Amino acid sequence: MKSQAGQNDPCPCGSGKKYKKCCLAKRSVIDFESARFHRLDVELMKRLLPTVDVFLKKAARERAEREFWPRRGARLEDDAEARLFAHWLLYDWMPDERLWRARVSVPKDGTVVDAFLDAHGYTLDDDLREAAGALLRMPNGFHEVIDVEPGRALFVREIFLGLDFTVEERTGSRQLKRGDIVFGKVVSWRGTFVLAGSGEMVISPACKGLLLDCRQEMRDEFDTLFVMHLRLMQDALRLVYLDIRHQLFHPAPPKLSNTDGDPLLFHELRYAIDSPHEAALALAVLDEQAARRDEDPFESCRRDALGRIVEASISWNRCEPGVSAGADSTILGSIRISHRVMTVEVNSKRRASRIQREIKRLLGKRARLEATSIEDADTMLERAASVPPTPDSLRRERESRELNERPEVQAMLRRTLEKHYHAWIDERLPALRGRTPREAVADSDGRERVEALLLEAERGQAGKAGVDFTRIRRELGLL
């Protein structure tokens, strides 16, 4: 992040003069022009939006809304993206000639602003006409924040064209941070650049991979990309932005699965058993981890006066062949025995079928299935959320939070995450098209993808834990 120069500091331009004697005055002019453009933009909106119904037929606005985002079965919320829609409606949309009212003179492939300037341009002063022309010339693009000078400017790069701009933006430079992506127009205005007509949503670095995929498709078609190509692809780029927005505000429910890849479907099987002692001994073979470690699976069970098991818990797990005895196993289910009742819990239909076969093989007629209850993940989560917290659950939550805040726990978390990211450098990732980060940084596209992944990670738990991403970047050659 760029630091702000004080009035008596050396000027950042390198002239050797004090900042107040050099570029501060220039910046005052730039700030004035930037603020002027935003006022002109608002004034143009007030003047031009009412003319839509003057120049176009009644059906035009409804048609415009359908074309703005023609996603079947979806619509934008009321007033959502109003600024982006208004700029598109005036400066970018080229209505079908049948939508124009009679006697309206409009150039071929003309916009509402073209029609207004042709018919009533003389009613605008020079500043308004110049601002309208600047907005007409520039297409929308995806602008990534490369650096920030809070309260003054954003340093952005258009992702598709690779063009860098210093955008005078007081409010945005206080809110946006490195890696954020904004969809809109960067307009050249009297020696400076300003952001106009942008979408209301800030795109996170996590979505940059999708934009790079789109960029590659455009390069495959056009080879080298120029502003004219961005203009040709305006409809497609707008739809990409709106689809990203839709996914953010209306995310598809995650497909939950267990370690075998089976959809989560929780089964509780209740059996009547003849002898809890015999059932426990017979089912002990299902605890492969205890057998491999030569542990007694019934060390904590309850026994009667004769030493026979009356209550026990058995873990049904699987140890991978060739893995050391100390390694973790895969938990497949749990079995609870209490006197003459045995309850089995598993999290998929396939595991439920498998455990029934195992119980039949190991116990035969000594275990009889009496009841089965099935609950999907959504229902289970809704039920859990509807249960009011108890004093005991609130105490456990508080204790867990206090434990996680302890310095030694934070240090352990940081070490764990640093170990993860050290290995991550050489892991093959779908986001990198099957390459490892170390392999991906060999080309410019891969470097962008890796940097976006690191920026997103910095904003998450790893960044909060203090993982040293500078070291990771240095190892990958990104610094």
Side-chain angles (χ1 to χ4, degrees), residues 220-238:
D220 291 342
E221 182 175 355
F222 300 115
D223 194 15
T224 304
L225 298 180
F226 298 101
V227 174
M228 67 176 184
H229 298 123
L230 211 60
R231 194 171 284 115
L232 285 172
M233 299 298 292
Q234 281 297 280
D235 286 342
L237 296 181
R238 185 183 69 257

Side-chain angles (χ1 to χ4, degrees), residues 85-150:
F85 175 73
H87 274 81
W88 173 81
L89 179 69
L90 295 173
Y91 297 98
D92 302 309
W93 186 44
M94 299 176 184
D96 184 280
E97 60 182 15
R98 291 170 296 182
L99 295 175
W100 293 99
R101 292 188 183 275
R103 296 185 300 278
V104 173
S105 175
V106 61
K108 184 181 180 181
D109 296 331
T111 65
V112 171
V113 172
D114 288 318
F116 181 89
L117 292 176
D118 184 69
H120 307 292
Y122 63 90
T123 64
L124 300 179
D125 62 31
D126 292 343
D127 288 345
L128 286 170
R129 281 198 302 272
E130 185 179 351
L135 286 163
L136 275 172
R137 285 192 297 272
M138 283 305 298
N140 286 303
F142 288 94
H143 304 279
E144 180 183 10
V145 178
I146 304 301
D147 207 345
V148 179
E149 192 174 337

Side-chain angles (χ1 to χ4, degrees), residues 46-338:
K46 293 178 180 178
R47 297 279 295 273
L48 296 175
L49 279 174
T51 66
V52 172
D53 296 328
V54 174
F55 292 120
L56 297 172
K57 297 177 181 177
K58 290 182 179 180
R61 188 176 286 270
E62 182 179 343
R63 174 73 172 272
E65 291 175 355
R66 290 200 306 270
E67 287 190 25
F68 182 67
W69 193 34
R71 183 186 178 95
R72 181 174 294 180
R75 62 182 295 275
L76 290 172
E77 303 84 354
D78 292 341
D79 297 327
E81 300 295 348
R83 179 174 54 190
L84 181 64
F85 175 73
H87 274 81
W88 173 81
L89 179 69
L90 295 173
Y91 297 98
D92 302 309
W93 186 44
M94 299 176 184
D96 184 280
E97 60 182 15
R98 291 170 296 182
L99 295 175
W100 293 99
R101 292 188 183 275
R103 296 185 300 278
V104 173
S105 175
V106 61
K108 184 181 180 181
D109 296 331
T111 65
V112 171
V113 172
D114 288 318
F116 181 89
L117 292 176
D118 184 69
H120 307 292
Y122 63 90
T123 64
L124 300 179
D125 62 31
D126 292 343
D127 288 345
L128 286 170
R129 281 198 302 272
E130 185 179 351
L135 286 163
L136 275 172
R137 285 192 297 272
M138 283 305 298
N140 286 303
F142 288 94
H143 304 279
E144 180 183 10
V145 178
I146 304 301
D147 207 345
V148 179
E149 192 174 337
R152 290 192 173 178
L154 297 168
F155 302 88
V156 304
R157 177 172 299 144
E158 206 293 311
I159 290 176
F160 287 76
L161 303 180
L163 298 177
D164 291 349
F165 303 94
T166 299
V167 177
E168 304 301 324
E169 181 62 53
R170 287 183 176 273
T171 302
S173 61
R174 292 189 182 97
Q175 298 171 345
L176 297 173
K177 51 185 177 290
R178 183 169 171 263
D180 284 339
I181 301 169
V182 179
F183 181 70
K185 297 183 177 184
V186 170
V187 178
S188 175
W189 174 256
R190 297 181 179 177
T192 187
F193 291 98
V194 292
L195 188 63
S198 57
E200 66 180 29
M201 183 189 72
V202 176
I203 302 171
S204 75
C207 298
K208 188 176 179 181
L210 172 63
L211 300 178
L212 295 179
D213 290 340
C214 296
R215 184 180 71 184
Q216 188 57 53
E217 291 178 8
M218 288 178 63
R219 286 177 174 174
D220 291 342
E221 182 175 355
F222 300 115
D223 194 15
T224 304
L225 298 180
F226 298 101
V227 174
M228 67 176 184
H229 298 123
L230 211 60
R231 194 171 284 115
L232 285 172
M233 299 298 292
Q234 281 297 280
D235 286 342
L237 296 181
R238 185 183 69 257
L239 297 185
V240 168
Y241 167 76
L242 292 173
D243 279 346
I244 291 174
R245 184 189 189 283
H246 182 76
Q247 292 169 20
L248 177 67
F249 289 103
H250 307 281
K255 295 181 179 180
L256 302 176
S257 60
N258 61 21
T259 52
D260 292 333
D262 300 328
L264 287 186
L265 195 61
F266 297 92
H267 288 65
E268 184 180 270
L269 313 174
R270 191 176 69 197
Y271 283 84
I273 54 178
D274 294 338
S275 167
H277 183 76
E278 292 179 2
L281 294 179
L283 297 176
V285 297
L286 298 176
D287 190 347
E288 294 184 8
Q289 187 177 51
R292 178 173 290 194
R293 295 179 178 178
D294 197 23
E295 296 174 346
D296 180 6
F298 305 118
E299 186 176 356
S300 60
C301 70
R302 276 190 58 198
R303 298 176 184 267
D304 61 17
L306 299 175
R308 296 176 63 83
I309 297 171
V310 293
E311 291 185 359
S313 295
I314 299 171
S315 172
W316 178 33
N317 57 65
R318 177 182 67 225
C319 291
E320 301 300 333
V323 178
S324 65
D328 291 337
S329 60
T330 300
I331 303 298
L332 303 176
S334 64
I335 302 170
R336 299 192 311 274
I337 295 173
S338 180

Side-chain angles (χ1 to χ4, degrees), residues 178 447 451 469-479:
R178 183 169 171 263
R447 292 171 73 87
E451 179 61 29
F469 284 96
T470 299
R471 181 191 62 79
I472 296 171
R473 287 187 172 90
R474 189 173 293 115
E475 184 171 349
L476 290 170
L478 293 174
L479 291 178

